[in-house]
Amino acid sequence: MAQPSSSLPDNAQAHDPGTLHDSEQQGSAPTWISTSAVRRRPVNNTSIQAYPQWDEPTVDGGEETTEKIPHPTTQNSNEILEEQKAPPPISLYGKLGALTTATLIAGTLCIFAAIGFLWFLWLADYRNSTWHHIVYNNWFTRCVSLSGLVIRTAVSLQAGAATSMLASLALERTGVLLLHFASVSLTRDSNGGPYMLAWWLLKTFIRNPARWANATVPALTTALTILTIAIQFTTTALFSDVNSIVVPGPSNRLDLASNFVYNVNGTVPVVTRGTTWTKKPPFYPIFAEYHEDPPETPDGVSDTGLTLRAFVPLQSQQSRAQLKEYEGRATVLDSRVVCMRPNLTGERIHVANNMFVFNGTFKASFNASRLVYFTGGNGTNPLTDWNARTDTEFTCVGLLNYTTAILGNVQSGPSVDEPHWRLAFCQPSGLNFGRNESSLGASTSVLMSEFRTLSNIARYEAMGGAETNYAYGNAYLAINISSGTEAEWLSPPLSQEPAEYATLVGPGYPPLAYSNHGEWLDLVFNSDASLRLSVSLCYTAFDTADLDIAMSGPQNRTEPVPSYDIATSGYTYGAIREQYGQFPDGQVSYDSDSVTARGILSLKKRDSWLPGAGDYVYNGHTSTGGTSWITDFANMGGPIAVGAENERVGWDTAAIMYNAYRDTSSWSNINSINTDPSMVALVQEILQSGGSIAFALQSVITSLTGVAYYDQLQQFNNVNSISYSEFIVATARAKFRGLIGVTTVIAVHLLLMGGIVALFLIRAKLSTVGNSWQAVAQVNAEMARPLLETAAFSTDATVKGVLQTNRWERKIVEIAVLEDGKGTKIVGMRDKHETAASATGSEVGG
């Protein structure tokens, strides 16, 4: 293989090849004129001269000579020779060419389109149909990948065009090492990006004594390199923002069994399993809620306000948790509770063994909204004279003892170190004082639900038409032993009565004093007030209706469960309390803004909550006396058997709401039940956290309804068409950090591109982008021609060796226009290895 000679031929110079002066044509000794003098730009206003060359051996093989070409004259760079002619002008479009222009314009448009589309994907949500369609069909990641590909491709193409422009500026303005001159020149035609150009210009920058005066192009090239590399990670950065999120799915229609249809005999196909008071809730279902604050109430009254809660006829817990919207038939509970200090008459306490019985009569002390008294016990003829209301009898049992043991091997209260409220909810008979079971005409009272009017309130009528049956949740007496141990209650001034009989036989003991606090009336039974019994009268609108409703939620949710506390070896019910409306600080809120925090749905208000068109209404006589089968299940005495007519079931029954046990041989005809321990723990937590007795009872009613509803859901026989939508898990934007970073890098890239294009169009005079023949022709100048002639079969390393031999490997060169303006030449620039002597015309050694 032919190798380049180890020294440069005699037609090469160390700096500027220059041109022959007229004296050469006249036969005199040739004088070389520095081409720097004919260039149109100053170089630091200093004198620039041609440098001497190294001679080759003679062509004929004769003796080598060391004769040097004389140094050219030195001229000021501001001087312009008359021989210098301007190169042909190049238009702005001609400098760029069609392909580069298209790349810059189309690439920018593609970048803006891709970034705009990404911001649309990041900012839009399910309310936008296009966004929803993309996410629901799992196209989000594809869209991100394709957008990233568009950005990377456009940026890479633009970076290639910018690299060509920077190479042109380097050749014309900054200079490059002679070693890399050919590579940089060809870079103007085609390249793989700014990476190698940045390396070549960095080496030139390091070896250039005027490096800081010529730092613009290397700096732009370095910035372009960094940005081009950074943009290759566009997709990675974008996917760092993407995660699995929950979005609403489309609306669907479904035929669903939503409620019972009553048979002609007033029965429904329920499966009875006893009272729901003793059933452990298998779960705490999600419900939808509509609430209105109560009217202003005086001291001594606690009113939850109108609180309607709708249950979703979906058996799957996952379906309820993911439900977004539901429109159609559903069962709605009126869970309003009003508690007040009662007006008591003839109240007495009886104690024996570990028990007490509290009896007498009561009536309401406050005329709450929708609280109705009737002159007839069958739920007719509303009483117009509030002062004419009569008393209702009650006989309620409670337990004096208290144990920290866990009853029924389930849950205890929040802490065995904190005494439980010794509380019982008593379900009175509803009989009026001084009347027997068959008498009529006396008054009774109910809290009318939103689903009833005075004309159809007969649902409160007992089966025989004799009495309103309080066993269906019309009213409860909340009775709490506020102070006094079991031993103190069984000691003087009280004494135990005979308890072996089925009913009371002793006269009992009246209270010695009374005091009020909130909705509680305190009865004091000894002189030092250490024996204190507190009573509150609670009316409930406990009623249900099968209505056509709409419910919705802003996000998916989970149904709460009790959590086990290792420290107390018991379960805590904070999540359930929060679902019902009591937050960790003990405050109760039904505010619509708390729906998400509570994990429930919002129930849309209807024009009227009275059953009408689209609702299920049964106008016949039901086997449960007109009441709902759900309230029948909540009878402490247990549901009435299908077809039975026994209004006495559940009369004067107490639900014990704390850990205690009863001597079953005492007062056997006065009924009580041990509530399921989970219900006990829930109520205890509510009260110990500062909740009112009205809120506690409302929570109980809601829980009882949920147990009965989902226990019988599979038995429902009324199929209706409903519309619903669910939240689905999909891949979409979860954060903004990645897109912000990508947008910032893209913005810097576009600004940098604008600067490079502007600089190229203004400063480049001899170069165009994408012209291969021009790039080759400008390499084939006099200084490089000896290397080109012998490098056809050489490697760059071989050429580098030749340059090193002649100490030209560090030579910085650039292109300039010939004097006739018809071509270009390579001119040298001073590097840091040239001595001060060379600046004055001294010879550079070879």
Side-chain angles (χ1 to χ4, degrees):
M1 177 184 298
Q3 299 291 333
S5 61
S6 60
S7 63
L8 295 175
D10 57 3
N11 60 353
Q13 283 188 312
H15 184 64
D16 290 339
T19 58
L20 285 174
H21 196 266
D22 291 342
S23 61
E24 181 182 6
Q25 300 175 3
Q26 299 171 2
S28 59
T31 302
W32 290 87
I33 303 299
S34 172
T35 56
S36 300
V38 301
R39 299 182 61 187
R40 293 183 175 272
R41 66 180 179 90
V43 182
N44 301 328
N45 293 323
T46 61
S47 297
I48 299 177
Q49 69 177 35
Y51 280 43
Q53 67 174 6
W54 293 284
D55 293 330
E56 286 274 293
T58 58
V59 177
D60 58 3
E63 183 179 356
E64 290 186 14
T65 65
T66 58
E67 181 181 359
K68 304 295 181 179
I69 295 178
H71 293 293
T73 61
T74 301
Q75 299 185 17
N76 189 282
S77 61
N78 289 324
E79 298 179 6
I80 302 177
L81 297 182
E82 295 179 358
E83 292 84 351
Q84 178 67 63
K85 294 183 180 180
I90 307 174
S91 66
L92 298 182
Y93 176 76
K95 289 183 179 182
L96 295 176
L99 183 59
T100 301
T101 302
T103 298
L104 294 175
I105 296 175
T108 302
L109 292 177
C110 289
I111 289 173
F112 276 122
I115 288 292
F117 181 60
L118 288 170
W119 275 106
F120 163 74
L121 292 178
W122 258 242
L123 293 176
D125 57 23
Y126 66 91
R127 289 168 291 190
N128 184 285
S129 59
T130 302
W131 186 93
H132 188 270
H133 185 73
I134 290 172
V135 173
Y136 181 72
N137 290 282
N138 288 322
W139 294 348
F140 194 92
T141 54
R142 303 176 197 176
C143 291
V144 172
S145 297
L146 291 175
S147 299
L149 177 62
V150 169
I151 292 173
R152 293 197 310 274
T153 302
V155 167
S156 296
L157 292 174
Q158 289 187 343
T163 301
S164 297
M165 300 178 202
L166 291 170
S168 300
L169 291 169
L171 290 173
E172 294 190 37
R173 297 292 173 177
T174 305
V176 297
L177 291 175
L178 180 59
L179 175 64
H180 302 309
F181 183 83
S183 299
V184 175
S185 181
L186 295 175
T187 298
R188 294 178 294 174
D189 173 48
S190 62
N191 59 78
Y195 316 111
M196 289 307 301
L197 180 62
W199 172 241
W200 296 330
L201 295 186
L202 176 62
K203 292 196 292 184
T204 303
F205 175 81
I206 294 173
R207 291 161 182 163
N208 192 341
R211 61 177 64 91
W212 297 114
N214 297 281
T216 302
V217 174
L220 291 175
T221 307
T222 302
L224 181 64
T225 302
I226 294 172
L227 289 173
T228 305
I229 293 173
I231 289 173
Q232 303 311 307
F233 297 94
T234 295
T235 304
T236 303
L238 292 174
F239 276 128
S240 69
D241 285 348
V242 176
N243 207 340
S244 294
I245 65 171
V246 177
V247 297
S251 180
N252 302 291
R253 296 206 67 83
L254 179 68
D255 290 335
L256 191 67
S258 58
N259 59 282
F260 279 125
V261 173
Y262 280 86
N263 300 319
V264 293
N265 62 350
T267 62
V268 290
V270 296
V271 178
T272 57
R273 294 189 176 92
T275 176
T276 47
W277 285 83
T278 60
K279 304 298 180 185
K280 181 182 184 298
F283 49 83
Y284 293 86
I286 294 164
F287 53 83
E289 182 179 276
Y290 174 78
H291 180 266
E292 291 180 3
D293 291 332
E296 185 176 354
T297 55
D299 179 53
V301 178
S302 175
D303 190 346
T304 64
L306 171 61
T307 311
L308 303 179
R309 291 171 171 171
F311 292 86
V312 186
L314 298 173
Q315 189 72 52
S316 169
Q317 184 176 8
Q318 180 69 16
S319 297
R320 296 192 299 270
Q322 299 296 338
L323 187 64
K324 179 186 182 295
E325 294 177 342
Y326 178 97
E327 293 184 6
R329 184 79 52 78
T331 299
V332 183
L333 164 71
D334 189 340
S335 63
R336 182 190 175 199
V337 176
V338 180
C339 293
M340 63 187 72
R341 294 193 293 263
N343 284 344
L344 298 178
T345 304
E347 61 275 19
R348 296 287 190 276
I349 192 168
H350 310 259
V351 295
N353 299 326
N354 65 341
M355 302 168 55
F356 72 89
V357 172
F358 183 60
N359 69 331
T361 65
F362 69 84
K363 60 184 176 184
S365 60
F366 173 69
N367 189 11
S369 64
R370 301 185 70 86
L371 180 61
V372 182
Y373 270 79
F374 299 96
T375 59
N378 61 352
T380 60
N381 303 324
L383 187 68
T384 57
D385 183 4
W386 173 255
N387 295 322
R389 67 194 188 283
T390 58
D391 298 297
T392 300
E393 294 180 353
F394 68 91
T395 302
C396 302
V397 67
L399 303 179
L400 296 171
N401 61 342
Y402 168 78
T403 177
T404 59
I406 298 176
L407 299 179
N409 70 7
V410 198
Q411 294 98 331
S412 67
S415 173
V416 295
D417 297 325
E418 298 180 13
H420 287 188
W421 283 50
R422 286 175 286 177
L423 174 70
F425 285 117
C426 181
Q427 182 176 273
S429 64
L431 289 175
N432 292 280
F433 180 68
R435 300 173 56 239
N436 57 45
E437 297 175 18
S438 60
S439 63
L440 297 172
S443 66
T444 188
S445 57
V446 296
L447 184 63
M448 189 166 57
S449 79
E450 293 294 314
F451 316 130
R452 306 284 174 170
T453 64
L454 293 176
S455 62
N456 69 349
I457 205 165
R459 76 101 175 166
Y460 300 104
E461 177 187 354
M463 291 302 305
E467 293 295 339
T468 299
N469 194 341
Y470 271 42
Y472 295 139
N474 291 342
Y476 296 94
L477 282 173
I479 304 173
N480 183 66
I481 301 176
S482 298
S483 64
T485 64
E486 177 183 358
E488 290 172 340
W489 279 97
L490 297 176
S491 302
L494 306 182
S495 62
Q496 298 191 52
E497 298 182 2
E500 64 273 14
Y501 302 100
T503 58
L504 298 173
V505 295
Y509 295 90
L512 301 180
Y514 301 87
S515 63
N516 302 325
H517 69 276
E519 62 267 35
W520 294 93
L521 174 65
D522 292 341
L523 289 73
V524 179
F525 289 92
N526 64 349
S527 58
D528 62 1
S530 61
L531 300 180
R532 187 156 46 92
L533 188 73
S534 300
V535 183
S536 184
L537 171 60
C538 295
Y539 286 96
T540 75
F542 196 176
D543 194 11
T544 63
D546 300 315
L547 306 178
D548 187 33
I549 55 93
M551 63 179 79
S552 62
Q555 65 182 46
N556 66 329
R557 62 213 66 82
T558 57
E559 293 184 343
V561 294
S563 57
Y564 188 76
D565 187 348
I566 298 178
T568 61
S569 299
Y571 287 85
T572 59
Y573 288 76
I576 292 92
R577 291 190 291 112
E578 188 167 357
Q579 182 192 51
Y580 291 154
Q582 186 182 44
F583 289 87
D585 60 0
Q587 297 297 314
V588 174
S589 174
Y590 302 94
D591 192 272
S592 58
D593 294 336
S594 66
V595 166
T596 301
R598 293 172 58 192
I600 62 173
L601 298 160
S602 294
L603 179 61
K604 184 178 180 180
K605 182 181 180 180
R606 295 187 5 152
D607 293 336
S608 172
W609 294 105
L610 295 173
D615 306 321
Y616 178 74
V617 180
Y618 177 69
N619 295 316
H621 187 79
T622 68
S623 62
T624 54
T627 189
S628 159
W629 61 272
I630 289 178
T631 54
D632 183 36
F633 272 48
N635 185 345
M636 293 180 186
I640 297 176
V642 176
E645 295 187 1
N646 182 6
E647 69 273 15
R648 293 186 60 88
V649 174
W651 281 9
D652 287 333
T653 303
I656 307 301
M657 304 302 297
Y658 58 101
N659 291 341
Y661 58 91
R662 176 180 177 175
D663 181 357
T664 57
S665 63
S666 301
W667 294 316
S668 56
N669 278 358
I670 305 176
N671 300 315
S672 68
I673 59 173
N674 280 108
T675 310
D676 183 80
S678 61
M679 185 77 73
V680 170
L682 174 62
V683 171
Q684 292 291 334
E685 273 198 34
I686 289 173
L687 296 175
Q688 293 186 23
S689 299
S692 67
I693 191 64
F695 176 77
L697 184 55
Q698 182 186 66
S699 301
V700 169
I701 290 172
T702 303
S703 180
L704 296 177
T705 302
V707 170
Y709 182 84
Y710 288 101
D711 179 59
Q712 302 295 319
L713 181 59
Q714 293 182 335
Q715 304 295 117
F716 287 176
N717 57 358
N718 190 8
V719 178
N720 295 278
S721 178
I722 60 99
S723 172
Y724 77 102
S725 63
E726 293 181 319
F727 290 98
I728 60 172
V729 178
T731 302
R733 184 272 308 165
K735 296 180 294 185
F736 283 90
R737 183 171 53 193
L739 181 58
I740 291 174
V742 169
T743 304
T744 302
V745 173
I746 290 295
V748 175
H749 163 80
L750 293 176
L751 291 174
L752 183 64
M753 285 297 303
I756 291 173
V757 172
L759 189 64
F760 171 75
L761 293 177
I762 296 172
R763 303 292 299 275
K765 304 298 183 181
L766 307 176
S767 302
T768 59
V769 174
N771 287 292
S772 57
W773 285 102
Q774 181 190 80
V776 172
Q778 291 182 352
V779 173
N780 190 24
E782 187 172 359
M783 181 182 288
R785 192 170 295 125
L787 296 175
L788 294 175
E789 290 175 351
T790 58
F793 296 98
S794 301
T795 64
D796 285 356
T798 304
V799 175
K800 180 179 180 181
V802 174
L803 295 175
Q804 287 176 337
T805 301
N806 295 282
R807 296 187 64 186
W808 277 32
E809 80 280 3
R810 300 177 183 272
K811 180 60 64 181
I812 300 174
V813 298
E814 59 184 12
I815 62 173
V817 66
L818 291 172
E819 285 75 4
D820 60 6
K822 296 181 179 180
T824 61
K825 57 187 175 181
I826 302 175
V827 297
M829 300 180 65
R830 192 189 310 268
D831 65 44
K832 70 179 183 179
H833 296 283
E834 294 172 345
T835 65
S838 65
T840 62
S842 300
E843 179 180 339
V844 177

